[in-house]
Amino acid sequence: MARYGILLDLNRCTGCMTCVIACKQENLTRPGVWWNRVLELESESLGRIIYFRYACMHCDNPPCVEACPEHAIYKRPDGIVLIDQKKCQGHGECMKACPYGVIDVNPEQDYFPGQNLPFQGIEEAHRMHPPGKASTCTLCVHRIEQGKEPACVAECPSKVMVFGDLDDPGSPIREKLRKSEQLLASQGTHPKVSYIFPKNTSKKVEQRVMENPRMERP
């Protein structure tokens, strides 16, 4: 069984927001809900802005699973962490438990309220994202099951992200793992998303996440 993950080389990221748009277009999440976010940080040592793409870490030890009183959050055998929308009651305990601040609760409002929706599939998508339910990145599990990469990975023009089986010694992601770091590794969540940070910036990013784990929306 594969154990899927993503590695991001932030040296390549230009902050173009293609991953954010690709995710929104693929998953048609509700207004104000962003499963992909990009944080801008000024690096004094590098003399430039660095961009930090940020989403669910699909942790091997996900604290949200234990925190949910309805047992609505579960980890699949391939390591993908999902929320059962039928079981979720929107208590928000998962949001408190997640050190990365990447879980939202779907709002009541729709796009184009009271109008015929112009985009194919958006009505079905809104049914998949019922209001009052917890919501976070699914790693595009529907695409993975079709043999495709997550939308954010596939559409990134700068090839910032590498997706693959973390346990396959021959996979491209394994070749780069030794150069990467996990965000907030001290939390013991063992995230399956890792980063190659620009020089001397990893601590700055971690500090920003600890100060404001929900970060800014795009």
Side-chain angles (χ1 to χ4, degrees):
M1 174 64 70
R3 189 170 64 95
Y4 294 117
I6 293 178
L7 181 144
L8 297 93
D9 185 349
L10 299 185
N11 293 285
R12 303 179 66 92
C13 185
T14 63
C16 69
M17 301 291 182
T18 300
C19 59
V20 177
I21 297 168
C23 176
K24 196 72 169 177
Q25 183 174 354
E26 180 71 29
N27 296 289
L28 296 171
T29 55
R30 286 182 177 265
V33 175
W34 301 93
W35 288 356
N36 267 272
R37 307 165 189 171
V38 175
L39 175 70
E40 297 182 5
L41 283 172
E42 185 175 356
S43 171
E44 296 177 1
S45 60
L46 297 178
R48 64 178 177 85
I49 299 293
I50 62 169
Y51 300 96
F52 176 62
R53 178 268 187 191
Y54 192 55
C56 178
M57 300 291 168
H58 294 277
C59 304
D60 269 336
N61 184 27
C64 57
V65 171
E66 294 297 324
C68 178
E70 306 295 337
H71 306 290
I73 308 178
Y74 62 99
K75 186 175 73 169
R76 295 181 7 147
D78 58 11
I80 299 174
V81 177
L82 298 175
I83 303 173
D84 187 330
Q85 297 291 288
K86 293 181 180 178
K87 291 183 178 180
C88 176
Q89 298 298 313
H91 293 294
E93 296 302 318
C94 56
M95 297 175 67
K96 299 174 187 176
C98 177
Y100 303 102
V102 291
I103 303 176
D104 289 298
V105 171
N106 292 323
E108 292 285 344
Q109 66 263 36
D110 294 337
Y111 288 106
F112 312 103
Q115 301 180 34
N116 292 326
L117 299 174
F119 304 122
Q120 183 178 3
I122 199 169
E123 291 181 345
E124 179 184 356
H126 276 182
R127 288 194 295 271
M128 292 172 59
H129 308 303
K133 307 285 188 174
S135 171
T136 193
C137 161
T138 65
L139 210 62
C140 281
V141 64
H142 60 289
R143 289 176 58 92
I144 293 173
E145 291 176 345
Q146 297 171 10
K148 301 177 182 178
E149 295 178 322
C152 59
V153 178
E155 298 301 327
C156 177
S158 300
K159 306 301 180 187
V160 171
M161 290 172 269
V162 179
F163 169 78
D165 182 357
L166 298 172
D167 292 334
D168 178 1
S171 66
I173 194 171
R174 278 291 296 268
E175 297 176 8
K176 295 187 175 184
L177 278 179
R178 59 185 177 83
K179 302 177 183 179
S180 70
E181 300 177 55
Q182 295 178 335
L183 188 68
L184 300 181
S186 61
Q187 296 287 326
T189 61
H190 304 296
K192 290 192 290 297
V193 177
S194 56
Y195 297 87
I196 297 175
F197 291 97
K199 186 177 180 181
N200 299 325
T201 60
S202 61
K203 297 301 181 185
K204 186 179 181 71
V205 172
E206 281 207 349
Q207 181 181 359
R208 182 63 175 276
V209 172
M210 292 176 68
E211 290 173 351
N212 177 21
R214 298 206 61 76
M215 295 194 182
E216 296 90 351
R217 294 296 189 271

